[in-house]
Amino acid sequence: THGWSPDHPVLSGVQQIIAFAVEDTGIGVAPEKQRIIFEAFQQADAGTSRKYGGTGLGLAISRELAVLLGGEIKLVSVHGQGSTFTLFLPLHYSGPDNARSAPSISAAGEMARAITILPVAREERIEDDRNAIEEGDLVLLIIEDDPHYARILLGLARDKGFKGIVATKGAVGLSLARQFRPAAISLDIFLPDMLGWTVLDQLKLDPGTRHIPVQIVTLDEERQHGLAHGAFAYLVKAPTTEGLETAFNRIKDFAAPRMKRLLIVEDNDIERQSIVELLGYKDIETVAVATGGAALEAMLEKSFDCMVLDLRLPDMSGFELLEKVHAEPALADMPVVVFTGKELDAEEQARLKAMAKSIVLKDVQSPERLLDETALFLHRVITDLPAEK
């Protein structure tokens, strides 16, 4: 749809060109900014980096890769409406060394404007415990690209009785998780090859790794997002290890083989019984109550790993119960799946999102979703559940 440069040193001399166009309907790029966004560390405005993520290197790297492949990237954008980035590549390209004429090589070099290639730091190998793991060992996988911080986490993990494995990239972390099936994972969000959110999603999509508790340790405060996506805990990196000590104790207790506990709060007897039958199995202990008061009493008596809550209760609203739960430090982190037939307005949705990890509205699909959401927050080994579940 959009043409390549007519004087391009490679494209102008080939028979077939392939084009990949990516369109969006985003904020667009102002005309005077369209050239600079391909430069390293440049973005259309200073606030963009904070709001839309990225370091400003992606397009610079993409442009250089396009040049190395004998092609180029073009941008057509209307500010406030969206952009189309098109990558043009020769269908057959033998590389600059075998190019037919020397001028085209120098022109391609000119196009790349002799970018200064900085030496890439050699990936630091951290001596972990991967070669010393035996049957029955508690293994913690640490996905962290800062070698200094990775060593701190590894030391803490060993102090708590774990054997530690370290990955400095997300893709490596995913493959180690599938290979070693660790008891728990510590995950940083800012990794060199992908965001930790992608790693978390991949872990939770794979039935073989979905049940592994993931503790996020990062610089950025996006706690609710992490917990809602199935993270076990969310910690912001601090100069002292005090918070980490507590977190490692929590994750060790959680990873130890034990029966997970689910609390069901539903006042309708038939509904309550059907939820118990839907969710219950020998891998979890289920307690079902009919009122908010009974729910609070049960929670203060023993700890639960997840609560399913109907908003319509005889003695208090589900909102009130959630507020009481949030006021108790020991209960504040417990995942709550709200299961309701009540139509929620935007304000109610926002209020719930701040306190509950998930909202499931009662409809035809809801039994499956309820099972899926609670299994995620209970870290159930779904491959062990019977076929009908």
Side-chain angles (χ1 to χ4, degrees), residues 278-312:
L278 171 73
L279 304 180
Y281 186 59
K282 61 185 181 189
D283 65 324
I284 61 166
E285 181 190 322
T286 308
V287 173
V289 296
T291 66
L296 278 171
E297 216 172 285
M299 282 183 270
L300 294 170
E301 195 179 303
K302 54 183 174 183
S303 65
F304 286 89
D305 300 289
C306 184
M307 170 165 70
V308 172
L309 172 65
D310 185 15
L311 289 181
R312 288 198 180 107

Side-chain angles (χ1 to χ4, degrees), residues 143-145 149 153 186-191 195-197 215-223 226 233-238 244:
I143 308 175
E144 166 65 64
D145 71 325
Y149 206 77
L153 293 173
S186 178
L187 172 66
D188 187 12
I189 293 302
F190 297 104
L191 299 167
L195 279 176
W197 300 123
Q215 169 177 281
I216 292 173
V217 186
T218 191
L219 290 165
D220 236 22
E221 183 54 85
E222 286 192 68
R223 188 165 182 277
Y234 191 102
L235 300 156
V236 177
K237 286 181 180 175
L244 283 173

Side-chain angles (χ1 to χ4, degrees), residues 35 55 69 78 147 149 171-172 183 226 243 294 333 342 373:
R35 190 186 54 79
T55 55
L69 294 167
V78 179
Y149 206 77
V172 177
D333 270 342
K342 182 182 188 299
E373 296 284 333

Side-chain angles (χ1 to χ4, degrees), residues 118-331:
L118 297 172
V120 177
R122 194 170 54 78
E123 201 171 309
E124 205 166 327
R125 172 88 175 89
I126 293 164
E127 287 303 320
D128 60 19
D129 304 319
R130 70 185 66 189
N131 298 322
I133 291 168
E134 290 163 19
E135 189 72 39
D137 282 342
L138 260 186
V139 176
L140 178 80
L141 169 60
I142 297 161
I143 308 175
E144 166 65 64
D145 71 325
D146 176 343
H148 171 68
Y149 206 77
R151 285 194 180 90
I152 290 172
L153 293 173
L154 184 59
L156 271 171
R158 285 169 173 163
D159 290 349
K160 301 292 174 195
F162 286 99
K163 284 195 175 167
I165 303 171
V166 177
T168 53
K169 289 198 171 103
V172 177
L174 282 169
S175 103
L176 289 173
R178 288 172 187 136
Q179 182 188 343
F180 287 96
R181 300 289 158 97
I185 295 171
S186 178
L187 172 66
D188 187 12
I189 293 302
F190 297 104
L191 299 167
D193 58 335
M194 62 176 79
L195 279 176
W197 300 123
T198 310
V199 178
L200 180 64
D201 285 345
Q202 292 292 322
L203 289 166
K204 296 300 167 189
L205 282 169
D206 182 342
T209 56
R210 192 175 194 254
H211 59 280
I212 302 169
V214 178
Q215 169 177 281
I216 292 173
V217 186
T218 191
L219 290 165
D220 236 22
E221 183 54 85
E222 286 192 68
R223 188 165 182 277
Q224 195 58 32
H225 181 84
L227 297 174
H229 283 74
F232 170 73
Y234 191 102
L235 300 156
V236 177
K237 286 181 180 175
T240 66
T241 60
E242 195 182 325
L244 283 173
E245 290 268 354
T246 313
F248 271 98
N249 285 334
R250 259 193 81 203
I251 207 156
K252 187 180 179 183
D253 290 347
F254 190 86
R258 65 174 180 83
M259 190 75 89
K260 305 290 190 312
R261 287 201 195 95
L262 172 68
L263 178 62
I264 296 164
V265 190
E266 164 67 72
D267 65 326
N268 180 303
D269 295 347
I270 296 167
E271 287 257 0
R272 191 169 61 251
Q273 195 44 44
S274 69
I275 295 172
V276 169
E277 282 168 24
L278 171 73
L279 304 180
Y281 186 59
K282 61 185 181 189
D283 65 324
I284 61 166
E285 181 190 322
T286 308
V287 173
V289 296
T291 66
L296 278 171
E297 216 172 285
M299 282 183 270
L300 294 170
E301 195 179 303
K302 54 183 174 183
S303 65
F304 286 89
D305 300 289
C306 184
M307 170 165 70
V308 172
L309 172 65
D310 185 15
L311 289 181
R312 288 198 180 107
L313 298 171
D315 56 338
M316 63 179 84
S317 77
F319 289 102
E320 288 173 273
L321 178 59
L322 278 172
E323 272 153 15
K324 286 180 161 57
V325 164
H326 260 242
E328 289 284 339
L331 306 177

Side-chain angles (χ1 to χ4, degrees), residues 60-61 64-65 68 112-120:
I61 292 167
E64 298 313 319
L65 286 172
L68 290 169
R113 280 188 313 290
I115 189 166
T116 309
I117 308 278
L118 297 172
V120 177

